[in-house]
Amino acid sequence: MKKLKISNNVIRRLPRYLRKLDELAENGVTRISSFDLGQHLGFTPSQIRQDFSCFGEFGQQGYGYNVAELRHEIGTILGMDRGLSAILIGCGNIGRAMLDNFCFSNWGVTLKAAFDVNSEIIGSNFNGITVFSMENLAEYLTNNKIDIAVLTVPKEVAKNVAQNLIDSGIGAIWNFTNVELTEPNSPILVENVHFSDSLLSLSYYITERQNDEAARLARLAKANSVK
Amino acid sequence: MKKLKISNNVIRRLPRYLRKLDELAENGVTRISSFDLGQHLGFTPSQIRQDFSCFGEFGQQGYGYNVAELRHEIGTILGMDRGLSAILIGCGNIGRAMLDNFCFSNWGVTLKAAFDVNSEIIGSNFNGITVFSMENLAEYLTNNKIDIAVLTVPKEVAKNVAQNLIDSGIGAIWNFTNVELTEPNSPILVENVHFSDSLLSLSYYITERQNDEAARLARLAKANSVK
């Protein structure tokens, strides 16, 4: 595999390729051209070829890509074979949603434990994951090598909890709190889940559709007035 | 404003610009150069100028962008001034998390009602939003013009509920269920929230850091063995 620096935009597209390739494999597709893959994803064939050229050559001119190989390669690039481990901090609504419904292991990550301050749920078990007291967090992190902290605490305590995690050696935070956790250039990796970005994209497409419809009606009205 | 077709990649970046501009405005910044804005977001100045050129010209060579104007313009492009309305379907963990913590109105969308099948919460009120019975959904949609359905039901019923929504005239779904709801080329707008894409990006950056660290240690070992 070539060792080029991959741009952030390409990295953000890789999970989408991965999901699409999984879906194709499930439907029995074993080989796909950059044209067809592009059709599925709304990308041009040349963009797809360019994306994949960042990390080496897959596929053969005229033969398309081997779906299983390409999927494996993208999974490796994304670190799915690294055996990364995670803990979840905060078992409120969003934390419970992740515990109950999100399959970390599908994505190569092992969720090891959850933490909360609420004595009513400390000791409970959700989907095989035990909830520990936040008081035991530092000790837990001393005794267990954890790669990722999933931060699903209320925003009021987000910064404090993040700082405790960092002080205990956590190097990566998956942040659901909508709070900016670190300064720019911090060595801590923070991946923010911003629901609003997704909603605003949808809002854009609705607006675009409304504009298109308005333009269509205007053209129609003009055509009718000419008649 | 120019009427060019904006690429999906640009659209996906607009909400990030918006968030950053809000943050700058909060910190009292009124004008910013494409260079500085790029520094904040990890984009090159030329990418920023190119992004903004898609929908007209902001800023003046050498003077930078007026933060408030640019923010207003991006908000308009994203449809934040369209008065879009939404309902939420499914008040489980993720639905409750959205009701309790996600401020729809911040993003120009009015959340009007929630629906669920659970009689224990029908009639309840979360953050000013009443939960109605799913039995009343079709009637509600007949009497109210709703732009967006936020779909936070269990995945087992996702497809059925989505079809009911579409049959009742819903044209856009914000989909948290991880289920593919429509066929390609469907006229229904579906915006999927894929937590896994975010986790895999984080996994990539952790892997990259591990590789960098391994390379650094290898160089160090080699340097020491030469001594």
Side-chain angles (χ1 to χ4, degrees):
Chain A
M1 186 171 26
K2 280 192 214 162
K3 274 282 202 157
L4 293 172
K5 185 83 182 174
I6 305 179
S7 85
N8 285 330
N9 288 337
V10 177
I11 293 156
R12 296 283 158 185
R13 282 196 286 275
L14 290 182
R16 293 183 57 198
Y17 286 120
L18 191 99
R19 277 191 282 109
K20 184 50 72 178
L21 291 167
D22 279 347
E23 197 189 308
L24 290 166
E26 257 175 50
N27 294 328
V29 179
T30 57
R31 193 164 275 281
I32 191 160
S33 68
S34 48
F35 180 84
D36 288 343
L37 190 54
Q39 289 282 91
H40 280 284
L41 288 160
F43 301 156
T44 63
S46 76
Q47 182 175 23
I48 286 183
R49 284 192 296 268
Q50 204 185 330
D51 280 359
F52 294 169
S53 74
C54 290
F55 40 83
E57 291 299 328
F58 307 108
Q60 215 179 328
Q61 189 72 42
Y63 286 85
Y65 299 105
N66 178 312
V67 169
E69 274 177 26
L70 183 56
R71 198 278 182 201
H72 175 79
E73 200 63 41
I74 292 178
T76 304
I77 291 164
L78 289 172
M80 290 175 64
D81 58 354
R82 291 291 173 119
L84 298 181
S85 57
I87 55 173
L88 183 140
I89 317 291
C91 303
N93 290 318
I94 187 78
R96 281 292 303 277
M98 297 307 286
L99 286 171
D100 288 349
N101 302 317
F102 186 77
C103 191
F104 286 82
S105 60
N106 269 0
W107 313 105
V109 175
T110 307
L111 185 63
K112 300 261 191 176
F115 293 84
D116 203 282
V117 291
N118 179 354
S119 60
E120 279 176 34
I121 61 164
I122 291 168
S124 312
N125 188 301
F126 299 110
N127 238 337
I129 304 298
T130 302
V131 181
F132 296 100
S133 163
M134 281 295 278
E135 289 174 10
N136 302 122
L137 178 59
E139 189 194 343
Y140 183 91
L141 288 173
T142 306
N143 297 325
N144 297 274
K145 194 197 142 292
I146 299 294
D147 298 296
I148 301 169
V150 186
L151 196 64
T152 47
V153 294
K155 54 168 76 74
E156 295 72 29
V157 301
K159 272 213 129 157
N160 262 339
V161 173
Q163 195 53 54
N164 289 342
L165 286 163
I166 294 166
D167 292 345
S168 300
I170 280 287
I173 298 176
W174 194 19
N175 178 24
F176 286 77
T177 69
N178 232 10
V179 173
E180 197 98 6
L181 295 179
T182 52
E183 302 297 313
N185 303 319
S186 157
I188 307 301
L189 298 171
V190 178
E191 169 71 21
N192 297 299
V193 176
H194 286 294
F195 293 125
S196 60
D197 289 13
S198 173
L199 179 62
L200 286 177
S201 299
L202 184 59
S203 168
Y204 171 85
Y205 291 112
I206 294 171
T207 303
E208 185 186 51
R209 187 169 62 184
Q210 288 177 345
N211 288 342
D212 289 350
E213 180 62 11
R216 195 183 67 79
L217 292 175
R219 277 196 308 274
L220 209 63
K222 202 175 162 192
N224 281 334
S225 74
V226 169
K227 268 186 215 163
Chain B
M1 188 171 26
K2 282 193 213 161
K3 274 280 205 161
L4 292 173
K5 185 85 182 170
I6 305 180
S7 86
N8 285 330
N9 288 337
V10 178
I11 294 154
R12 295 284 158 184
R13 281 194 288 272
L14 290 182
R16 292 182 58 198
Y17 286 120
L18 191 99
R19 276 191 284 109
K20 184 50 72 177
L21 291 167
D22 279 347
E23 197 190 307
L24 290 167
E26 257 175 51
N27 294 329
V29 179
T30 58
R31 191 165 276 282
I32 189 162
S33 67
S34 48
F35 180 83
D36 288 342
L37 190 54
Q39 288 283 90
H40 279 286
L41 288 159
F43 300 157
T44 63
S46 77
Q47 182 174 21
I48 287 182
R49 285 192 295 266
Q50 204 185 330
D51 281 359
F52 295 168
S53 74
C54 291
F55 39 86
E57 290 300 329
F58 306 108
Q60 217 180 325
Q61 190 72 41
Y63 286 87
Y65 299 105
N66 177 312
V67 168
E69 275 177 25
L70 183 58
R71 198 280 182 198
H72 175 80
E73 200 62 41
I74 292 179
T76 304
I77 292 164
L78 289 171
M80 288 176 63
D81 58 355
R82 292 290 175 121
L84 298 180
S85 57
I87 54 172
L88 183 139
I89 318 291
C91 303
N93 289 319
I94 186 83
R96 281 290 306 278
M98 296 308 285
L99 287 171
D100 289 348
N101 301 318
F102 187 77
C103 190
F104 286 83
S105 60
N106 269 1
W107 313 104
V109 175
T110 307
L111 185 64
K112 301 259 193 178
F115 292 85
D116 203 282
V117 292
N118 180 355
S119 59
E120 280 176 35
I121 60 165
I122 291 167
S124 312
N125 188 298
F126 299 110
N127 237 337
I129 305 298
T130 302
V131 182
F132 296 100
S133 164
M134 281 295 281
E135 289 175 9
N136 301 122
L137 178 59
E139 191 195 342
Y140 182 92
L141 287 173
T142 305
N143 298 326
N144 297 274
K145 194 198 143 293
I146 298 294
D147 299 295
I148 301 169
V150 186
L151 196 64
T152 46
V153 296
K155 53 166 79 71
E156 296 72 29
V157 302
K159 272 213 130 154
N160 264 337
V161 172
Q163 195 54 55
N164 289 342
L165 287 164
I166 294 166
D167 293 344
S168 300
I170 279 287
I173 298 176
W174 194 19
N175 178 25
F176 285 78
T177 70
N178 232 9
V179 173
E180 197 98 6
L181 295 179
T182 53
E183 301 297 313
N185 303 319
S186 158
I188 308 300
L189 298 171
V190 178
E191 168 71 22
N192 297 299
V193 177
H194 285 295
F195 293 125
S196 60
D197 289 13
S198 171
L199 179 61
L200 286 176
S201 298
L202 184 58
S203 167
Y204 171 84
Y205 292 112
I206 294 171
T207 303
E208 186 185 51
R209 187 170 60 183
Q210 288 177 345
N211 288 342
D212 288 350
E213 179 63 9
R216 195 184 67 79
L217 291 176
R219 277 196 308 276
L220 209 65
K222 204 175 160 191
N224 281 334
S225 75
V226 169
K227 271 185 211 164

